Amino acid sequence: MAGIPRKAVILMVGAFAKAVTTLLNNASVRNADTLLRLVRSRPPGVPLITVSNHMSTLDDPLLWGFKGFPITNSKLARWVLAAEDICFRNSLYSYFFRQGKCIPITRGAGIYQDHMNEALQRLSNGEWLHTFPEGKVNQEIAPIRRLKWGTASLIVRAPVTPIVLPIVHRGFQEVMPENYRSGRRPRFPLRNKNIDIIVGEPIEFDIAKLSRTATSMSHSLSFPAFGWPKLTRYELDEAAQKCLYMTISDQIRTAMQVLLSQTR
């Protein structure tokens, strides 16, 4: 019986995503082969982090519902950071989303909260993690917002530096609009909408080199102190960590913004 509930949830959610993204709406995906290759056959032990903008509450799982993606395969399915106050608000939700490979994150609790350690363990096992580094849904057609530092901290703290793959999309805000009627979302996803998904190219970070630069930068910058532990692997105090996370986040945001400018 081991793994059967997870397989059932992944299969059910995957079928739902396929139906909404591929059958009920019109999805266009560019550079899908890069995502498929990294999900299926990246080097053993190397983790993958995908990052995307966040335009609706259904971005995950609908983002993976395009034709050709193995969304019903529980072994290949992503882990994803999910808002604790939305996805884990009662025991039934918690069980369902846990089986769906979701990791609860308490928004506002910082990058060293307990569940971030769980995400880090998944990366340590060479698994795939998806994050929405903007931190919340934004349905405006606007530039990528300043990214939260949680994703950058996972990249730095992972024993093996993850491959980072940026993805952007438009259209899911029309499939599940926040203000549909009377300021509420529709009960069911809408249909006959155009969805545009662009998969970028992998970003590889030289963390040792970036750490040295961040340490030098930190001497001339001032940040409020949060009491973060020192990262002994790279000899980074709190100020240097902040410089490093800011640098990595800015690089990811720039890559996402370039992709966003190509969406229709």
Side-chain angles (χ1 to χ4, degrees), residues 103-257:
I103 299 172
I105 291 296
T106 304
R107 290 184 286 195
I111 65 175
Y112 283 103
Q113 59 182 282
D114 289 343
H115 288 300
M116 288 292 279
N117 293 329
E118 181 181 347
L120 187 61
Q121 184 59 52
R122 298 301 175 186
L123 295 175
S124 300
N125 294 338
E127 299 182 69
W128 168 28
L129 176 72
H130 184 72
T131 74
F132 296 99
E134 290 179 294
K136 60 181 179 180
V137 170
N138 178 23
Q139 298 204 323
E140 296 180 5
I141 303 301
I144 301 295
R145 292 174 295 183
R146 176 183 175 276
L147 304 187
K148 304 295 185 181
W149 289 349
T151 299
S153 75
L154 292 172
I155 294 170
V156 172
R157 292 193 286 156
V160 175
T161 303
I163 298 170
V164 179
L165 186 67
I167 303 171
V168 300
H169 53 84
R170 278 186 177 166
F172 291 127
Q173 78 280 7
E174 297 182 7
V175 175
M176 182 55 67
E178 290 287 296
N179 298 306
Y180 181 59
R181 289 178 181 169
S182 303
R184 296 184 178 182
R185 305 184 192 102
R187 291 186 178 183
F188 304 101
L190 304 184
R191 56 187 301 173
N192 297 325
K193 307 299 180 181
N194 294 319
I195 300 165
D196 193 17
I197 302 170
I198 303 180
V199 179
E201 294 300 325
I203 305 173
E204 296 185 6
F205 292 100
D206 185 340
I207 302 300
K209 181 178 180 181
L210 291 173
S211 295
R212 292 191 292 270
T213 302
T215 298
S216 298
M217 288 175 55
S218 68
H219 296 155
S220 59
L221 297 177
S222 177
F223 295 99
F226 298 136
W228 290 355
K230 185 176 182 178
L231 289 185
T232 55
R233 181 181 176 189
Y234 297 107
E235 294 299 318
L236 296 173
D237 60 16
E238 183 174 323
Q241 288 178 59
K242 290 175 181 176
C243 287
L244 179 57
Y245 299 158
M246 180 173 60
T247 297
I248 292 174
S249 296
D250 286 347
Q251 187 171 338
I252 294 172
R253 180 178 180 272
T254 297
M256 293 173 67
Q257 187 59 48

Side-chain angles (χ1 to χ4, degrees), residues 23 36 61 85 88 94 114 132 183 259:
L23 299 179
L36 291 170
D85 59 324
F88 297 85
S94 295
D114 289 343
F132 296 99
L259 295 177

